[in-house]
Amino acid sequence: MIDVQNVSKRFGAVRALDGVTFAAGDGRITGLLGPNGAGKSTCLRILSTVIKPDGGRVRVGDTDLAAAPLVARRLLGVLPHGSGLYPQLTARENVEYYGRLHGLPEPLLKQRAEALIARLDLGAIADRKAKGFSQGEKTKVALARALVHEPQHLLLDEPTSGLDVMATRHLREWLRELRAQGRCVLLSSHVMQEVEALVDDLVIIAGGRVTLSGTPAELAQRYPGRSLEEIFVAAVSGAEHATT
Amino acid sequence: MIRTILTVCRKEILETARDRRTLFSLLLGPLLGPLLFVTIINVAVSRNLSGLDQPLDLPIVGAERAPNLIAFLNARGLHPAVSDVKDVDDAAAAVGRGTLDVAVVIDERYEKDFGTEHAARVTVIYDRSRSSAQSKIQRVHGTLEAYGQQIGALRLVANGVSPSLLRPLLVDDLDVSTPAGRSVLMLGVLTYFLLFATLTGGLHLAIDTTAGERERRSLEPLLTLPVTRASLLLGKMAATVCYMLVSLALTLAAFTVALKRVPLEQLGMSSSFDAATALATFGILCPFAPLGAALMTTVASFTKTYREAQTYLTFILLIPTLPLMFAALLNVEAELKLMWIPSLSQHLLITALIKAQPLNWAFVGISAASSLVLGVLLGWLAIRLYEREAILG
């Protein structure tokens, strides 16, 4: 599981995160929701150890992020916003490159790449250069790349943006499959409809703070008669009033 | 760590090799430089040598007034040519228009003045700004001058005076420069080309390491892998150095082949640029590659986009050439303290190589050490910059 305790981060005069606390459990899909600029990406960047928080503590499984970032990275798979594939490498090479940097032995890494290519239906494009891929294909390859070291935790930054209906459906399927394997999946989004059917837990973040969290059922119970969309809007605009 | 560096290095080499545009520019640079160089030298040589021994048709106005002079000119390959030029003004107009390179007008009073105490006038009309006519002008001038001296000497002898009375000073030229030494003047530009080719070979990768990866959004996921940023950057710089050395090797090979086609001997020079010299030159320039790679990577890490990095690095490419200009202007010789300056030290060592002088191994050692030390320092700086959060842009 991922445990975030009172995490803060400033960029110059901008307070991007202000005491964020939440947890994402194993075998669950947790949605980090918020409007653009709410601090979702900063939060995911801290979780993926690319940047360091100014204050607070993050644990990934049993590992403290600040104390052992290299160990924590082995436990994390990251699907960045916009895939970030190498255009001159083939789908397979992109996946294998990350496996190699994760220190997987060569036979195991070939075998894993092959299995992921089969599972994600990438057979037809596996040996084509990534530069011609559609957004859906890129996301698939990036997902395969993030899973090559079989991480317990998966971080996805706006995974559905730019995907068409079918690709979005497939992505949901795979995320449910990862959940069924007992993995901890944390994804960010700024559109409630995209995730409300998928997530087990919701963390709504606005103005650098967690304004609301809980399961969809809990939230519906707490605000009877209001849709998740309406609850989201209220949670977000409340924070905006608070900051202004 | 070593495994990570090798993995990254191998991937960068592969990825760059697949990019046709980058590869094309990588190959074009090394081939274009020597080609340009050889073409320029060939043109210069043929200009300087053109028709030194060949007959030259020379428009002469009033040739009938000076049969002896004409005979003298004829004997030296300057043949009076038929032309519609009538006098000095005509000739000046024709030269001005560019229809003639040089013309000679023998004065109307030539016959009368010749043999008296008056000097007989011969006018040479030319345009000094026309570089293609230089050798013709000099030839006509020299031949006329020689005729005058010969006649003068004959007259003195006829009057019982030794012609050497008029030449109290005898100036003797004794040029001790070796043919190889003279060729250095021409080959001085060579190191410039070599340094330039070395740097441009790594340009793409040095930019791609930071600005390029950031622009393609591949930097962020890369930094989430369980490897240190130092090992990532070292792998990338290693690949950059590989491409720089390939570019250098190609340029050297092209020069070695191309310089065989240059008629340096005709200019009284000998080119000792054979395969062994090329190999030694490669060895001398090797330590410069890590320094260049670290420098370019460091500068590129400050920029936001590939294009911006390209703009800055074009200026950076000029930095190593500054000591060369300084060396050319002041005509510096290899000495110990200059060996501490990268690029200048390599330039001086390569110049010595081409002059076929024995290599000073202490100089070679200091040159390599200073470049490598500075390269390590800049590499360390590049790593520190790569570890900043701002690297994500």
Side-chain angles (χ1 to χ4, degrees):
Chain A
M1 68 174 290
I2 296 172
D3 186 27
V4 180
Q5 290 289 336
N6 202 24
V7 164
S8 305
K9 179 74 184 173
R10 312 183 69 105
F11 295 109
V14 181
R15 190 184 284 272
L17 292 181
D18 186 10
V20 167
T21 300
F22 69 89
D26 289 338
R28 300 183 78 83
I29 298 176
T30 307
L32 192 60
L33 257 89
N36 290 322
K40 301 186 301 289
S41 288
T42 305
C43 192
L44 285 181
R45 277 179 169 184
I46 287 174
L47 295 184
S48 61
T49 73
V50 175
I51 59 176
K52 289 194 177 83
D54 298 333
R57 208 182 52 130
V58 180
R59 293 180 74 83
V60 173
D62 295 327
T63 308
D64 187 277
L65 218 60
L70 290 190
V71 178
R73 286 180 198 172
R74 292 189 189 284
L75 307 172
L76 287 165
V78 180
L79 183 80
H81 187 54
S83 86
L85 298 179
Y86 293 106
Q88 296 294 340
L89 298 187
T90 66
R92 189 190 303 276
E93 285 165 345
N94 265 295
V95 175
E96 288 179 354
Y97 180 50
Y98 269 40
R100 236 168 248 133
L101 288 177
H102 267 289
L104 301 183
E106 210 64 14
L108 178 64
L109 123 94
K110 300 261 182 214
Q111 186 194 321
R112 290 254 180 97
E114 196 54 58
L116 283 164
I117 285 164
R119 176 63 197 94
L120 292 171
D121 274 335
L122 290 167
I125 58 165
D127 296 304
R128 267 173 40 200
K129 284 191 197 172
K131 64 178 174 183
F133 289 179
S134 70
Q135 192 55 46
E137 289 167 335
K138 280 183 188 165
T139 305
K140 277 197 212 175
V141 177
L143 188 62
R145 191 176 67 169
L147 294 173
V148 70
H149 57 297
E150 301 200 329
Q152 170 61 22
H153 310 84
L154 192 64
L155 306 176
L156 306 101
D157 193 2
E158 307 262 350
T160 49
S161 78
L163 295 191
D164 61 27
V165 183
M166 286 312 288
T168 308
R169 281 181 80 109
H170 282 135
L171 184 71
R172 284 184 187 153
E173 250 171 65
W174 295 317
L175 294 184
R176 288 195 181 110
E177 191 179 309
L178 290 168
R179 171 176 64 186
Q181 291 166 3
R183 292 182 210 274
C184 168
V185 179
L186 178 66
L187 59 89
S188 74
S189 177
H190 59 275
V191 188
M192 178 60 95
Q193 302 98 300
E194 281 186 357
V195 292
E196 64 175 293
L198 181 67
V199 299
D200 303 306
D201 295 299
L202 275 167
V203 177
I204 298 174
I205 186 169
R209 274 180 230 153
V210 176
T211 54
L212 199 62
S213 63
T215 65
E218 280 169 8
L219 294 181
Q221 210 170 20
R222 216 185 300 172
Y223 301 94
R226 294 169 83 173
S227 70
L228 278 178
E229 180 80 22
E230 285 164 347
I231 295 169
F232 174 57
V233 170
V236 166
S237 54
E240 269 164 9
H241 289 309
T243 49
T244 48
Chain B
M1 175 131 179
I2 298 291
R3 195 184 155 197
T4 305
I5 293 173
L6 287 178
T7 302
V8 174
C9 180
R10 215 178 67 186
K11 173 256 169 188
E12 297 296 340
I13 288 176
L14 176 74
E15 203 189 1
T16 307
R18 290 231 182 110
D19 188 347
R20 282 212 199 99
R21 246 186 311 170
T22 309
L23 209 60
F24 184 67
S25 64
L26 189 75
L27 289 174
L28 198 69
L31 296 182
L32 213 61
L35 204 70
L36 198 74
F37 183 74
V38 167
T39 313
I40 289 172
I41 289 191
N42 267 331
V43 169
V45 168
S46 63
R47 267 255 171 102
N48 282 331
L49 298 181
S50 70
L52 265 197
D53 314 309
Q54 283 156 20
L56 174 69
D57 287 332
L58 181 65
I60 301 177
V61 178
E64 67 285 351
R65 295 170 202 139
N68 288 333
L69 172 61
I70 298 305
F72 184 85
L73 292 177
N74 253 323
R76 278 156 187 77
L78 300 174
H79 306 299
V82 187
S83 76
D84 45 9
V85 177
K86 295 284 173 289
D87 52 25
V88 175
D89 293 340
D90 257 14
V95 171
R97 277 198 308 274
T99 46
L100 291 178
D101 277 338
V102 57
V104 172
V105 175
I106 293 168
D107 199 67
E108 283 166 14
R109 293 164 54 84
Y110 182 93
E111 287 170 288
K112 203 188 285 174
D113 286 342
F114 196 84
T116 67
E117 62 269 33
H118 293 291
R121 183 188 300 274
V122 177
T123 313
V124 184
I125 300 103
Y126 56 85
D127 178 356
R128 188 176 287 288
S129 65
R130 200 176 305 153
S131 58
S132 61
Q134 293 301 333
S135 61
K136 281 188 197 172
I137 297 166
Q138 274 174 20
R139 192 168 163 201
V140 170
H141 230 278
T143 314
L144 289 171
E145 206 69 47
Y147 181 71
Q149 273 176 17
Q150 187 180 325
I151 299 297
L154 285 173
R155 285 183 188 168
L156 288 176
V157 173
N159 285 300
V161 182
S162 164
S164 60
L165 269 181
L166 278 180
R167 298 188 63 193
L169 200 63
L170 182 67
V171 181
D172 247 357
D173 289 328
L174 185 63
D175 186 356
V176 294
S177 68
T178 60
R182 277 195 292 275
S183 66
V184 164
L185 292 174
M186 286 260 174
L187 298 179
V189 234
L190 183 81
T191 35
Y192 173 81
F193 273 110
L194 293 177
L195 285 173
F196 199 74
T198 311
L199 288 172
T200 48
L203 190 66
H204 167 76
L205 260 172
I207 297 175
D208 195 69
T209 298
T210 52
E213 287 241 33
R214 185 161 52 220
E215 214 169 23
R216 282 185 275 133
R217 294 167 171 269
S218 54
L219 185 60
E220 200 172 321
L222 183 67
L223 299 181
T224 66
L225 298 176
V227 290
T228 58
R229 292 192 188 181
S231 54
L232 288 176
L233 195 68
L234 285 173
K236 283 164 177 292
M237 284 202 281
T240 309
V241 168
C242 285
Y243 271 100
M244 290 170 85
L245 292 180
V246 167
S247 175
L248 173 61
L250 281 173
T251 311
L252 272 171
F255 262 117
T256 314
V257 174
L259 283 176
K260 292 197 197 308
R261 309 259 178 284
V262 178
L264 286 173
E265 299 74 25
Q266 288 188 42
L267 291 175
M269 299 173 184
S270 82
S271 156
S272 60
F273 208 85
D274 53 11
T277 317
L279 219 60
T281 306
F282 185 79
I284 288 171
L285 278 171
C286 265
F288 180 77
L291 169 60
L295 175 70
M296 292 193 292
T297 309
T298 303
V299 172
S301 72
F302 284 110
T303 59
K304 291 258 176 280
T305 62
Y306 193 96
R307 203 166 272 274
E308 192 189 347
Q310 233 171 356
T311 315
Y312 282 114
L313 284 184
T314 320
F315 287 108
I316 293 301
L317 287 185
L318 295 176
I319 292 182
T321 63
L322 290 180
L324 301 197
M325 287 177 204
F326 159 79
L329 282 176
L330 299 182
N331 204 9
V332 292
E333 289 284 325
E335 54 178 308
L336 192 65
K337 63 177 185 221
L338 293 179
M339 288 302 127
W340 293 100
I341 307 172
S343 94
L344 181 59
S345 67
Q346 278 94 7
H347 168 73
L348 293 172
L349 286 171
I350 293 167
T351 309
L353 262 184
I354 296 170
K355 276 187 190 169
Q357 289 169 352
L359 267 186
N360 184 329
W361 287 103
F363 282 14
V364 175
I366 294 172
S367 162
S370 66
S371 295
L372 288 175
V373 166
L374 193 60
V376 167
L377 283 176
L378 276 168
W380 176 81
L381 181 64
I383 290 173
R384 294 311 303 269
L385 290 168
Y386 203 62
E387 282 167 349
R388 292 178 312 156
E389 289 183 354
I391 202 73
L392 292 171

